[in-house]
Amino acid sequence: MKSILKQAAVAVAALGFAAGALAQGFPSKPVQMVVPFTAGGPTDTVARSLAVAMGKHLGQSVVVENVGGAGGTVGAGRVKNAQPDGYSILLHHIGMSTAPTLYRKLAYNPQTDFETLGLVVDVPMTLIARSDFPAENFADFLKYVKANNTKLNLANAGIGAASHLCGLLFMSAIETDITTVPFKGTADVLNALLAKQVDFTCDQTTNTTSQIQAHVADKSKGVKVYGVTSAKRVATLPSVPTLQELGMKGFEVGVWHGAYAPKGTPKAAIDKLVAAMQAAVKDPEFVKRMTDLGAAIYTADKITPTAHAAHLKSEIERWAPIIKKAGAYAD
């Protein structure tokens, strides 16, 4: 019996040594970065810029794969079940913190089924409407929405999407219910808004900045903007006030993005991925791309597993009561 136990212990130790040796040589092939949303959306935009910059530091390509569906839960589930070797990582946004409350049957626990790698960027949202929406300023917009709430529709990119969360918070803040229209992704929402098929939405500056600027140049094009959801004005949209400036105290929605690896990924691999992320956010091309889109890049002290885990926990606690109050659940 002792001999069998000794052999088992030796085998376990050998496996541990082999895993450690593999991690030390990491990466020896391309790394897959799963984005749990469709291509062309704001999270995809962040991911593709980050992947290029990380690849420079890792010496291997970081390949983005879009695995959309169910508010980001399908893609997250894919990474949760992936081999924990560092070659499969997830780039997700604020939805990682709202899924535990939104979904009654969530196939993973964001806090225990993943290794947090670090926060990347925080993207403000904009409150936008079709180009011919009657109101010209926020005060008139608010008055019009409250008077016509049964006739208007508020579009979003599906349950759990950032636009859905922002919409919930907006309706709660103004104490007015509005018919919501879910789409499969933010690109579909924006196209519907441009075609004047829906009335208004919340969407990230990474997706809306160019369309807002187009409307400034030609009132018949692009989208109207009424405010940004950040605590401070966005540098690329300096004339657009924050919703807090406009009287909506405490209304702040930043769509933070973070990276994850499957639980059990070797520390050596995690350390290299984190180092690559910290180098990537300083890459001039990445910085310019994010700045042009109004995204705020996190500082090095936030691009760590510990800081990311703490932020995830606090955000889960923040959104749970808002979602429960709205009664917004999905199976």
Side-chain angles (χ1 to χ4, degrees):
M1 183 66 179
K2 288 182 179 180
S3 175
I4 293 174
L5 290 174
K6 184 176 180 180
Q7 290 175 16
V10 170
V12 169
L15 285 172
F17 177 79
L22 287 172
Q24 291 296 333
F26 174 87
S28 60
K29 61 181 181 180
V31 174
Q32 179 189 57
M33 178 185 288
V34 171
V35 175
F37 304 103
T38 55
T43 300
D44 182 63
T45 298
V46 172
R48 291 183 185 278
S49 293
L50 180 67
V52 171
M54 285 182 66
K56 294 177 184 178
H57 184 79
L58 289 171
Q60 289 285 347
S61 298
V62 178
V63 182
V64 173
E65 180 183 2
N66 297 91
V67 184
T73 61
V74 174
R78 167 84 68 87
V79 175
K80 179 249 182 180
N81 294 320
Q83 186 72 21
D85 54 10
Y87 289 101
S88 291
I89 61 176
L90 171 72
L91 186 77
H92 206 332
H93 64 28
I94 189 174
M96 197 68 158
S97 63
T98 57
T101 308
L102 279 169
Y103 293 89
R104 293 186 176 94
K105 299 177 182 178
L106 191 62
Y108 56 85
N109 184 319
Q111 294 181 276
T112 59
D113 288 333
F114 298 89
E115 305 287 353
T116 51
L117 300 177
L119 301 169
V120 183
V121 295
D122 193 329
V123 185
M125 301 199 79
T126 50
L127 180 62
I128 56 174
R130 50 186 167 83
S131 61
D132 62 347
F133 199 85
E136 293 302 322
N137 57 57
F138 181 74
D140 289 343
F141 173 81
L142 203 56
K143 188 183 300 182
Y144 188 88
V145 167
K146 287 187 174 185
N148 298 276
N149 66 304
T150 59
K151 303 174 185 177
L152 298 174
N153 50 62
L154 171 59
N156 65 55
I159 291 179
S163 53
H164 173 232
L165 302 172
C166 182
L168 288 180
L169 193 59
F170 178 73
M171 288 188 287
S172 176
I174 67 173
E175 299 180 336
T176 303
D177 290 329
I178 303 160
T179 299
T180 58
V181 181
F183 286 80
K184 292 183 179 180
T186 53
D188 293 335
V189 173
L190 191 57
N191 287 335
L193 201 63
L194 292 170
K196 303 180 178 62
Q197 296 168 345
V198 293
D199 296 306
F200 69 105
T201 189
C202 288
D203 200 359
Q204 299 173 58
T205 55
T206 44
N207 215 33
T208 64
T209 298
S210 62
Q211 294 298 338
I212 291 169
Q213 293 169 340
H215 184 73
V216 171
D218 184 340
K219 300 301 180 185
S220 67
K221 298 180 179 179
V223 296
K224 280 187 178 179
V225 62
Y226 294 103
V228 295
T229 66
S230 49
K232 297 180 180 179
R233 293 195 182 198
V234 178
T236 51
L237 300 168
S239 64
V240 181
T242 70
L243 291 180
Q244 294 196 61
E245 283 181 64
L246 295 167
M248 300 189 74
K249 301 300 180 185
F251 195 104
E252 184 178 345
V253 183
V255 186
W256 56 271
H257 295 69
Y260 306 78
K263 192 69 176 179
T265 299
K267 185 177 183 301
I270 289 173
D271 288 346
K272 289 185 178 181
L273 289 168
V274 172
M277 287 171 58
Q278 291 183 337
V281 299
K282 297 176 183 176
D283 182 86
E285 291 181 15
F286 179 80
V287 172
K288 185 179 186 307
R289 178 65 171 150
M290 293 301 103
T291 301
D292 287 347
L293 295 172
I297 300 170
Y298 280 104
T299 53
D301 60 313
K302 298 295 183 183
I303 309 175
T304 67
T306 301
H308 184 178
H311 187 72
L312 175 63
K313 180 177 183 296
S314 69
E315 284 286 278
I316 290 173
E317 294 170 351
R318 175 196 178 197
W319 283 100
I322 295 171
I323 294 167
K324 290 176 180 176
K325 182 180 177 181
Y329 298 103
D331 293 329

